Amino acid sequence: QLQLQESGPGLVKPSETLSLTCTVSGGSISSSSYYWGWIRQPPGKGLEWIGSIYYSGSTYYNPSLKSRVTISVDTSKNQFSLKLSSVTAADTAVYYCARRSVVPAAMPFDPWGQGTLVTVSS
Amino acid sequence: EIVMTQSPATLSVSPGERATLSCRASQSVSSNLAWYQQKPGQAPRLLIYGASTRATGIPARFSGSGSGTEFTLTISSLQSEDFAVYYCQQYNNWPGTFGQGTKLEIK
């Protein structure tokens, strides 16, 4: 059974870079059938897709965040990572990682990690 | 970017009754529409994909319909565990966009 687990600092200072890692267990991140994504949810608000990465390193970013986001993959560790630069209080959110199947057909995110709260504050 | 609009924002229904939730896309997303359920402190859980296909382990009381720009999630007989927030998401175009959610509360 595939599981995803987010990890990283729970507190980041304004203007600094938020860094999170998603560790995948129970399956290989190198499969050609999946994209791996990051989604966030500010407290009490809705969901926002941040970006996705393929095992080869191809990335897709939400245009609203593209200038500040970098997603990378480490197939040797079965992990993928998120970096969000120049954070402000508006970036305070629960950050989720998730898998998206693309073979044999496009599918939505499933499963998801449990999420990790990142607070931006000095 | 495709905008997803859910209605109503809050729906009050009694246990045992039927709930109908709506989701509208600003342009056609074909049948590439998903519904998620989210309970407090939990990650979203996939209920429906392809507009009408139940995900693994989802009870038959959950059903989805629609295509193009208009979609509906129906819960036929509400159980206590169904009271939660429901989100739709289109995955036809990048970026995959979510609706703002419908909170299903006990009447």
Side-chain angles (χ1 to χ4, degrees):
Chain A
Q1 179 180 345
L2 190 83
Q3 292 187 317
L4 300 93
Q5 178 68 57
E6 306 87 351
S7 60
L11 181 63
V12 180
K13 290 182 168 56
S15 80
E16 295 190 344
T17 296
L18 177 159
S19 297
L20 295 174
T21 296
C22 181
T23 300
V24 178
S25 59
S28 174
I29 203 169
S30 299
S31 171
S32 59
S33 298
Y34 307 113
Y35 273 85
W36 306 90
W38 289 97
I39 305 102
R40 71 179 182 177
Q41 185 173 36
K45 296 187 178 180
L47 299 159
E48 179 181 36
W49 173 75
I50 300 170
S52 294
I53 191 165
Y54 198 48
Y55 78 100
S56 63
S58 297
T59 52
Y60 294 85
Y61 298 140
N62 191 321
S64 68
L65 297 168
K66 187 175 182 177
S67 63
R68 298 194 291 130
V69 172
T70 302
I71 297 177
S72 58
V73 64
D74 186 336
T75 55
S76 67
K77 295 182 179 179
N78 228 33
Q79 295 175 335
F80 61 105
S81 299
L82 168 70
K83 291 188 184 299
L84 181 65
S85 63
S86 305
V87 298
T88 69
D91 295 310
T92 294
V94 175
Y95 286 75
Y96 297 99
C97 58
R99 184 187 74 175
R100 184 186 169 194
S101 299
V102 293
V103 174
M107 289 282 285
F109 291 113
D110 182 55
W112 296 52
Q114 66 184 29
T116 187
L117 174 63
V118 179
T119 301
V120 179
S121 175
S122 55
Chain B
E1 176 177 308
I2 296 176
V3 177
M4 307 300 293
T5 303
Q6 291 186 240
S7 61
T10 304
L11 183 60
S12 299
V13 183
S14 299
E17 294 189 340
R18 173 188 298 257
T20 302
L21 289 68
S22 296
C23 176
R24 173 178 293 178
S26 61
Q27 65 187 75
S28 177
V29 297
S30 186
S31 294
N32 293 315
L33 189 285
W35 290 95
Y36 298 90
Q37 176 193 68
Q38 188 178 35
K39 296 180 180 179
Q42 296 184 15
R45 172 196 183 195
L46 179 65
L47 298 176
I48 300 285
Y49 64 92
S52 61
T53 302
R54 282 189 302 276
T56 302
I58 302 303
R61 64 181 181 273
F62 291 90
S63 63
S65 63
S67 66
T69 61
E70 300 284 343
F71 301 90
T72 300
L73 174 69
T74 301
I75 310 171
S76 60
S77 178
L78 280 163
Q79 307 297 303
S80 58
E81 62 267 28
D82 299 336
F83 293 95
V85 178
Y86 292 82
Y87 294 95
C88 63
Q89 185 214 4
Q90 69 81 17
Y91 53 97
N92 193 62
N93 292 67
W94 295 91
T97 42
F98 294 88
Q100 80 280 17
T102 291
K103 181 178 181 180
L104 182 55
E105 63 177 27
I106 299 175
K107 187 175 183 179

